[in-house]
Amino acid sequence: MKIGVIGGGAAGFFAAIHSAENNPEAEVHIIEKTSKVLGKVKISGGGRCNVTNVIYQPVPLSKHYPRGEKFLKKAFGHFNSQDTVKWFEDRGVKIKAEEDGRMFPDTDDSQTIIDCLMNEVRRLGIQLRYSTTVQSLTTLEEESIGLEIDGQQEVFDKVIVCTGGQPKIEGFNWLKSLGHKVESPVPSLFTFKINHKPLTALMGLSVPNAKIRVIGEKKLVEEGPLLITHWGISGPVVLRTSAWGARILSDKNYQFSILVSWLNNYTEEELRQYIYEQKEVLKKKQIKNKNPFQLPQRLWDYCLQRIEVPETKLWLDLSKKELNKLINFLLSDQYDVIGQTKFKEEFVTCGGISLSDIDVKTMESKKVKNLHFAGEIMDIDGITGGFNFQAAWTTSFIASKSN
């Protein structure tokens, strides 16, 4: 038996390893078009590799995928994040959980994950072929598959496509030509460009619990840590908004308005009451020097500048109009987003091979026998937090099981 795995990323390696374990007599090939493998694994989580997430149960886990929730709910019944942790730990890689649920190797070094996967590939005798391009795929007699590789045809009994997300729909043409439906790709994890110099002057400043609402889109409301950058805003709250709103924001050509709540732990009524109380306590103190909201001082200075309250003003002298402007800033600060930028190098796309063309029990194509898919080539993407890797491990495990 000869099995071809196209793509040398996380999904490709996991699919090849499990294919070799499930079929000890088989010849397994990883076919990678570049000179490097496991690039995303290397840079994920700031070079620490966010392997998975601490949410183990299939239903709650599946709710972190803007595309693919129902499909993955079934798939996670076969292999979930707990299985991922066990798989690595069985091979000597201890996995730890952080407060926010993200999981990393305890070395805090992605090379640990790469070494583990590479060792398995060597142990199982998998052929790793670098700088090798698949030009086309054809179905042959007896349900085998022909791959044209660098001008030569090779015959495989089974092929698993793990080529990852493609930024342009043309990247799917070779699979589209076989009758597969493709959901057009658009960026999923990205940050927001905001051309407002007083805000971007605060770059590097973070707020632990902010809320973002996209004006005109009731469902696009997310909360979490926010980071100000030299081009606009980033952080988990922005990345979650970008993932859930990937298609909506693409349709708007990334030109839209948002409301930022810098104090997400207050309702308007609670905040108003709290400010009245603080006015009494701090009445003879200068507003600039007494910030009762535990906001970073630079953000507080920016707030006073934005609502045009003189730094020397006393709390006692804060007018009703100024108080309303303060509440508005803290809970509904409006900005115009003028574009998107890639989140570091961790490019994730929404879109890919339609899940209606894939059998969830085997990850096999419903159009071509013995052709399987795994990872981000499918129309599956998760929010940030280890969810995209988990989808790759799960779909690869299932794709490699079936013969």
Side-chain angles (χ1 to χ4, degrees):
M1 189 179 188
K2 191 174 176 183
I3 300 170
V5 177
I6 308 174
F13 267 69
F14 219 59
I17 289 164
H18 283 94
S19 293
E21 285 185 329
N22 295 330
N23 307 277
E25 303 302 310
E27 195 181 296
V28 181
H29 298 243
I30 296 175
I31 304 158
E32 169 54 44
K33 69 176 179 181
T34 71
S35 59
K36 291 178 181 173
V37 291
L38 300 170
K40 267 194 185 179
V41 173
K42 182 70 179 168
I43 60 175
S44 156
R48 296 194 298 146
C49 188
N50 184 186
V51 180
T52 186
N53 195 279
V54 80
I55 299 166
Y56 289 167
Q57 294 303 315
V59 174
L61 182 57
S62 68
K63 291 194 182 302
H64 292 79
Y65 295 84
R67 267 96 9 212
E69 178 186 346
K70 285 181 185 172
F71 187 88
L72 287 172
K73 190 159 59 178
K74 293 174 187 165
F76 289 145
H78 299 280
F79 192 92
N80 62 25
S81 35
Q82 191 168 19
D83 298 312
T84 300
V85 171
K86 186 178 186 308
W87 189 88
F88 280 105
E89 292 195 338
D90 285 348
R91 286 154 184 79
V93 178
K94 203 159 170 46
I95 305 291
K96 63 174 183 179
E98 300 206 336
E99 262 182 52
D100 60 6
R102 293 180 303 157
M103 301 190 87
F104 297 88
D106 69 348
T107 57
D108 280 327
D109 187 355
S110 57
Q111 194 61 42
T112 307
I113 301 298
I114 292 170
D115 291 344
C116 174
L117 295 169
M118 288 296 270
N119 288 341
E120 288 297 290
V121 162
R122 280 191 286 268
R123 179 179 72 81
L124 293 161
I126 294 164
Q127 295 189 39
L128 183 47
R129 299 163 63 175
Y130 294 93
S131 305
T132 307
T133 306
V134 175
Q135 274 110 7
S136 65
L137 185 154
T138 48
T139 52
L140 305 174
E141 288 175 15
E142 296 176 353
E143 296 176 335
S144 58
I145 293 173
L147 295 181
E148 189 189 337
I149 301 172
D150 294 334
Q152 302 287 316
Q153 183 162 58
E154 291 186 37
V155 179
F156 292 85
D157 298 287
K158 173 178 176 176
V159 169
I160 308 174
V161 182
C162 306
T163 48
Q166 305 295 316
K168 293 187 176 164
I169 199 154
E170 289 76 21
F172 295 96
N173 281 350
W174 63 297
L175 296 166
K176 217 174 173 182
S177 65
L178 298 166
H180 295 105
K181 183 185 174 191
V182 176
E183 305 294 343
S184 59
V186 297
S188 177
L189 291 184
F190 53 86
T191 62
F192 295 169
K193 270 188 190 172
I194 295 170
N195 186 18
H196 183 67
K197 286 195 170 64
L199 176 72
T200 53
L202 304 176
M203 63 182 182
L205 189 147
S206 64
V207 175
N209 186 18
K211 183 191 278 182
I212 285 180
R213 285 167 284 171
V214 175
I215 293 175
E217 301 294 339
K218 284 182 182 175
K219 288 186 177 176
L220 280 187
V221 181
E222 293 296 323
E223 47 192 68
L226 180 150
L227 173 69
I228 300 172
T229 66
H230 66 275
W231 65 83
I233 56 172
S234 182
V237 65
V238 174
L239 298 173
R240 280 202 282 271
T241 307
S242 72
W244 288 107
R247 290 220 175 274
I248 295 165
L249 302 181
S250 169
D251 290 345
K252 292 177 184 287
N253 200 26
Y254 308 107
Q255 313 281 319
F256 54 95
S257 298
I258 57 169
L259 295 174
V260 176
S261 172
W262 301 102
L263 284 181
N264 187 32
N265 48 339
Y266 286 95
T267 65
E268 184 179 335
E269 204 176 306
E270 288 167 346
L271 184 58
R272 189 175 295 277
Q273 183 59 36
Y274 179 68
I275 293 173
Y276 277 126
E277 289 167 6
Q278 291 303 307
K279 271 186 79 176
E280 281 304 305
V281 176
L282 304 169
K283 48 190 174 189
K284 293 201 175 168
K285 306 284 185 188
Q286 283 187 356
I287 291 178
K288 175 185 165 61
N289 299 331
K290 283 293 174 184
N291 150 26
F293 307 107
Q294 295 182 314
L295 289 175
Q297 186 61 39
R298 283 198 300 152
L299 183 60
W300 182 240
D301 293 344
Y302 167 69
C303 161
L304 298 182
Q305 175 195 339
R306 194 148 159 83
I307 65 173
E308 299 171 317
V309 168
E311 293 182 350
T312 53
K313 180 163 264 192
L314 304 181
W315 272 102
L316 178 72
D317 299 327
L318 190 72
S319 71
K320 192 171 182 180
K321 186 181 175 185
E322 288 167 334
L323 186 143
N324 287 334
K325 283 168 84 173
L326 175 60
I327 290 170
N328 198 54
F329 170 84
L330 293 171
L331 298 184
S332 302
D333 194 18
Q334 185 169 334
Y335 295 96
D336 294 329
V337 176
I338 55 160
Q340 50 94 2
T341 57
K342 202 157 78 172
F343 171 54
K344 298 181 181 171
E345 295 303 313
E346 298 177 46
F347 190 71
V348 173
T349 53
C350 141
I353 302 296
S354 172
L355 300 181
S356 62
D357 284 352
I358 302 168
D359 183 343
V360 70
K361 293 184 185 128
T362 58
M363 299 298 148
E364 186 176 32
S365 163
K366 292 178 182 176
K367 306 289 182 184
V368 179
K369 189 80 180 146
N370 293 321
L371 176 66
H372 300 252
F373 299 101
E376 219 191 304
I377 183 77
M378 304 189 284
D379 185 25
I380 286 173
D381 62 286
I383 62 172
T384 182
F387 298 105
N388 287 297
F389 272 136
Q390 185 53 50
W393 310 132
T394 294
T395 53
S396 303
F397 174 84
I398 295 170
S400 61
K401 260 175 74 173
S402 55
N403 295 333

